[in-house]
Amino acid sequence: MTVLQWIALASLFAWLYLAIGHGFFWRTDQRLPACQAPAVWPSVAIVIPARDEADVLPVTLPTLLAQDYPGPVRLILIDDGSTDGTTEVARELAEQAGRRGGSNVTAAVTASTEPPPGWTGKLWALRRGIDCAGDAEFLLLTDADIAHDRGSLTSLVAAATTHRLDMVSQMAVLRADTVWERLIVPAFVYFFAMLYPFRRSNNPRARVAAAAGGCSLVRREALAAAGGLAEIRNAVIDDVSVARIIKRSGGRTWLGLAEQVHSRRPYPRLADLWHMVSRTAYAQLRHSPLLLLGTVLGLGLVFVVPPAATIAGLAGGDGRTAVIGAVTWLIMTCTYLPMIRYYRQPLLSALLLPGVAALYLAMTVDSARRTKAGRGASWKGRTYDEHGQPTTGGREAAASAATGAPGVVVGPPRDPWNDSLPRSEGPATAAGRADVPAPAGPAELADPAAPRVSGEQADRRPRSRN
């Protein structure tokens, strides 16, 4: 046998393992399990960190404010240093929903501050939102660009209570409208499932643990038992990190594909999708050059070799190489078809997976290059190095340089719409404060220019029944 034939055969054996022995990662049947309504619906707090999301909030926030959840539920949006009027837009939308009525959701909008050393901005904002959640039994951690069908929260809680799950997460249906979105988005979810097979993640005995940050319902006590967000304070990929600590502490987690949860963030150009992938791809590899090298070689063997062997075999009159390559390419394509159907794309587009994989390979290498150049994980003005520490160049750094003062660190935020809400002093709160300097003053809204809500005004707001 020739060297090319041996390489093609290695690719075939790799795909036989991936198709049969890798947790059936390619199947799309992991959906919310059958469930029944609990006797008493537990209290829920919806926590949304938002940074410069004024454009998308009018599309997504009303869907959460209109949830038909039968129990007590309140929404807490934390403005994470926005400069585009996110706070004002969120408050106006909440007031409009309150005037319309027809939902059990009450809302509060508060502000985060510059994260203290060792914390990423999003996790610091989430931690402050969780402090506002008080003793809510469940926390729905979701993103500002995620829209939920009216019964989404009810289904999530019913699944958690029926199956005694501590974390229920759904991979939101990403937007796939433009040419580039239709080409790259299904592969993004496919590769995520290959990296974290859903079935293995859902197996309590397996070490794999994963979640999708756009929609994660977490039992508050389970998060507290796992050490709270302080355990992962510098994590760039926070959703997977939350699932890991909960599962490691004995909690039960579940991850599947969504039917009632949709991302509304557009990625119309290749550059937009490139940034989405490259900003965290190297972090997925734990910033390891050896893992990067292994990924490059592995992706090349698994995705590039089959079509290359097929074409080379046909061109060179090597029938055995062509057959091995074609069979391997067929297996690869068949594993991709369920995801293509899930995203309602033409079935023939599954044949393009090798080319899309080559694009992802380039994005991963570029992610490593950006990290080494000090431009690693970045999002809306914040950039983090390989240790999760902020690098210079973000707008917070510029603001600090202009004022000559470090970012202000305050205690847990006061809930400006419901000051009477009791706060838990359990392990989650304690863990969240363990590494935070003592408050410099009262826990007021971080943005001094933001509208203040007086106690009298707060009394007129709808109150939570938590």
Side-chain angles (χ1 to χ4, degrees), residues 267-456:
Y267 294 96
R269 303 172 303 158
L270 176 60
D272 302 317
L273 290 157
W274 192 289
H275 178 69
M276 177 190 74
V277 175
S278 63
R279 69 187 179 93
T280 58
Y282 197 42
Q284 292 275 12
L285 301 177
R286 301 196 291 274
H287 302 101
S288 167
L290 288 178
L291 286 178
L292 176 64
L293 177 61
T295 299
V296 171
L297 295 176
L299 286 177
L301 175 67
V302 171
F303 291 103
V304 178
V305 166
T310 303
I311 296 170
L314 291 174
D318 185 351
R320 179 179 294 180
T321 300
V323 169
I324 296 174
V327 170
T328 307
W329 195 355
L330 178 62
I331 296 173
M332 178 203 314
T333 302
C334 288
T335 67
Y336 192 36
L337 282 174
M339 191 62 67
I340 288 293
R341 284 197 295 265
Y342 175 73
Y343 272 94
R344 300 177 181 177
Q345 300 303 310
L347 297 183
L348 286 178
S349 63
L351 292 170
L352 301 177
L353 181 59
V356 180
L359 273 176
Y360 272 88
L361 182 57
M363 295 173 190
T364 302
V365 173
D366 186 52
S367 178
R369 180 191 64 82
R370 292 186 182 193
T371 300
K372 295 304 181 182
R375 296 184 291 111
S378 62
W379 181 246
K380 297 191 175 182
R382 284 198 183 112
T383 302
Y384 298 96
D385 63 18
E386 57 191 80
H387 305 294
Q389 300 302 312
T391 59
T392 58
R395 59 175 180 254
E396 286 85 358
S400 295
T403 60
V408 178
V409 177
V410 300
R414 176 172 59 83
D415 176 357
W417 284 20
N418 194 349
D419 288 345
S420 64
L421 180 71
R423 292 190 178 88
S424 169
E425 295 297 332
T429 304
R433 296 173 182 168
D435 301 287
V436 180
E444 301 288 342
L445 287 174
D447 181 3
R452 306 267 178 172
V453 180
S454 68
E456 181 180 353

Side-chain angles (χ1 to χ4, degrees), residues 12 14 85 170 260 280 373 412:
L12 174 60
Q170 290 185 295
Q260 301 185 78
T280 58

